[in-house]
């Protein structure tokens, strides 16, 4: 009995020490990122929007701005292998560790130029991006469907995308990665694709500006999709700073909070033509903090 009591006491002390260490880590992390407490919402930016696509320099800029993370491009037109090259992946990992800025998620914007619906090599990109995301400790990969990859009024394209997602979804599920579809499609059209794929690894990457520009009612779509179907969100005003364009951001913030969404929001664009990126993004970050973190 005495041995058992001693052992239990040791276990309790060990658990208490771990709890204190965890609490200290969370408080230090909150102080480092400028938040009073560990936030429900974390604010990052797309590496292409801060002018340093698939580059360690994006993390330096993010630190200067005060961002919590960077959404990193999986590849580029000049470097299609991208994060599948060990040296490139390690350079991104090192930059994150050096600056304290997280890799918040990955994105395959090259799918706008080389469509997932029609180009066979894109299947390898998406498959390998899952492995890269796992290696970097991130949970979400944005799959873009704009420009050449647009799915509007393209039933054959949608069918091809569904079949390709069915093949890669089990791999993503096994690795704990979510593939987020970002497109001009309506919320219901996104859900139709997701249900056809039949995997919890496929969700919607929601962009309020894109959906509004496509003619969809975001204040109906946000609750319809809900937190279970929205894996991550973009925050942007095309060519304008946040809060200075046509979107009703206070109403957007309320709608996002009402569905219980928590996690990453990535600032994209939101820079007037000719304006300096760093000051614009400091404004954008401050604006979002006012809406979501106060």
């Amino acid at each position: 009995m005495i041995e058992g009591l001693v052992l239990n006491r040791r276990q309790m002390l060990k658990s208490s020490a771990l709890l204190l260490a965890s609490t200290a880590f969370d408080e230090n992390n909150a102080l480092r990122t400028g938040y009073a407490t560990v936030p429900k919402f974390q604010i990052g930016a797309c590496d292409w929007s801060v002018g340093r696509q698939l580059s360690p320099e994006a993390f330096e800029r993010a630190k200067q701005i005060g961002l919590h993370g960077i959404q990193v491009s999986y590849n580029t037109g000049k470097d299609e292998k991208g994060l599948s090259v060990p040296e490139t992946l390690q350079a991104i990992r090192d930059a994150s560790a050096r600056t304290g800025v997280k890799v918040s998620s990955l994105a395959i914007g090259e799918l706008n130029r080389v469509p997932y619906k029609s180009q066979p090599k894109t299947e390898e990109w998406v498959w390998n991006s899952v492995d890269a995301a796992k290696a970097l400790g991130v949970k979400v990969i944005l799959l873009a469907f704009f420009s050449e990859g647009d799915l509007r009024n393209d039933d054959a394209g949608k069918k091809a995308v569904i079949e390709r997602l069915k093949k890669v979804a089990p791999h993503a599920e096994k690795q704990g990665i979510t593939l987020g579809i970002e497109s001009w499609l309506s919320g219901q059209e996104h859900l139709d694709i997701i249900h056809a794929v039949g995997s919890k690894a496929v969700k919607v990457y929601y962009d309020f500006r894109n959906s509004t520009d496509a003619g969809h009612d975001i204040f109906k779509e946000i609750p319809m999709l809900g937190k279970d179907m929205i894996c991550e969100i973009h925050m942007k005003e095309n060519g304008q700073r946040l809060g200075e364009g046509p979107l009703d951001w206070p109403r957007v913030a309320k709608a996002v909070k009402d569905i219980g969404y928590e996690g990453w929001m990535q600032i994209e664009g939101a820079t007037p033509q000719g304006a300096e990126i760093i000051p614009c993004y400091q404004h954008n970050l401050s604006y979002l903090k006012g809406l979501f973190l106060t």
Side-chain angles (χ1 to χ4, degrees):
M1 288 292 292
I2 294 175
E3 287 183 1
L5 288 171
V6 171
L7 182 59
N8 288 339
R9 179 175 172 77
R10 286 175 180 169
Q11 289 173 334
M12 289 173 64
L13 289 170
K14 183 177 180 181
S15 297
S16 297
L18 288 172
L19 179 60
L20 286 170
S22 175
T23 302
F25 173 81
D26 286 345
E27 289 176 350
N28 289 336
N29 188 52
L31 288 170
R32 177 180 60 76
T33 53
Y35 303 119
T37 58
V38 179
K40 293 181 179 180
F41 303 100
Q42 298 184 84
I43 305 173
C46 311
D47 64 0
W48 59 91
S49 291
V50 298
R52 293 294 184 269
Q53 190 176 19
L54 188 55
S55 169
E57 293 180 22
F59 292 84
E60 304 293 345
R61 288 199 167 191
K63 183 177 181 180
Q64 186 178 354
I65 293 165
L67 296 165
H68 199 214
I70 279 287
Q71 182 174 53
V72 177
S73 298
Y74 165 73
N75 62 358
T76 68
K78 295 181 179 180
D79 181 8
E80 291 191 348
K81 292 188 178 296
L83 292 173
S84 291
V85 177
E87 293 79 9
T88 303
L89 187 141
Q90 188 60 47
I92 294 298
R93 184 188 283 121
D94 290 346
S96 176
R98 181 176 64 254
T99 59
V101 175
K102 296 180 181 180
V103 181
S104 48
S105 57
L106 301 186
I108 314 183
E110 278 302 294
L111 296 178
N112 294 327
R113 182 181 64 86
V114 186
Y116 189 49
K117 63 184 179 181
S118 59
Q119 295 295 324
K121 66 180 177 181
T122 59
E123 290 193 80
E124 182 180 1
W125 292 359
V126 175
W127 185 282
N128 290 343
S129 73
V130 171
D131 297 327
K134 180 69 174 180
L136 290 168
V138 301
K139 299 295 185 182
V140 172
I141 303 168
L142 183 162
L143 306 183
F145 293 91
F146 303 100
S147 301
E148 298 302 315
D150 193 354
L151 295 174
R152 289 175 296 182
N153 303 312
D154 186 357
D155 290 339
K158 291 177 189 176
K159 183 177 179 180
V161 166
I162 289 167
E163 293 308 310
R164 291 183 173 188
L165 287 174
K166 282 182 177 179
K167 289 189 285 184
V168 73
H171 178 50
E173 282 190 31
K174 185 177 180 180
Q175 300 298 335
I177 307 298
T178 298
L179 303 171
I181 301 171
E182 184 187 16
S183 78
W184 296 114
L185 297 176
S186 69
Q188 185 58 56
E189 288 173 307
H190 279 108
L191 289 178
D192 291 343
I193 290 174
I194 291 168
H195 292 150
V197 175
S199 170
K200 64 181 181 181
V202 180
K203 296 186 178 183
V204 180
Y205 199 109
Y206 204 72
D207 186 311
F208 311 104
R209 178 77 263 163
N210 288 344
S211 294
T212 298
D213 290 346
H216 310 308
D217 186 339
I218 61 175
F219 299 110
K220 290 182 179 179
E221 289 195 337
I222 294 169
M224 180 185 74
L225 293 170
K227 68 176 182 179
D228 292 334
M229 284 298 170
I230 296 176
C231 62
E232 201 166 279
I233 52 182
H234 270 165
M235 319 299 277
K236 79 178 179 201
E237 284 282 13
N238 294 326
Q240 298 178 78
R241 302 193 307 177
L242 297 181
E244 298 176 357
L247 277 184
D248 185 346
W249 285 102
R251 189 179 176 191
V252 168
K254 182 180 185 304
V256 170
K257 292 175 183 178
D258 283 348
I259 65 170
Y261 175 87
E262 296 180 3
W264 284 102
M265 53 185 70
Q266 313 291 351
I267 308 172
E268 182 187 23
T271 306
Q273 186 175 1
E276 294 183 19
I277 291 174
I278 301 299
C280 282
Y281 269 71
Q282 288 172 335
H283 162 87
N284 294 331
L285 174 61
S286 177
Y287 184 72
L288 291 179
K289 280 185 176 182
L291 288 177
F292 289 93
L293 301 178
T294 58

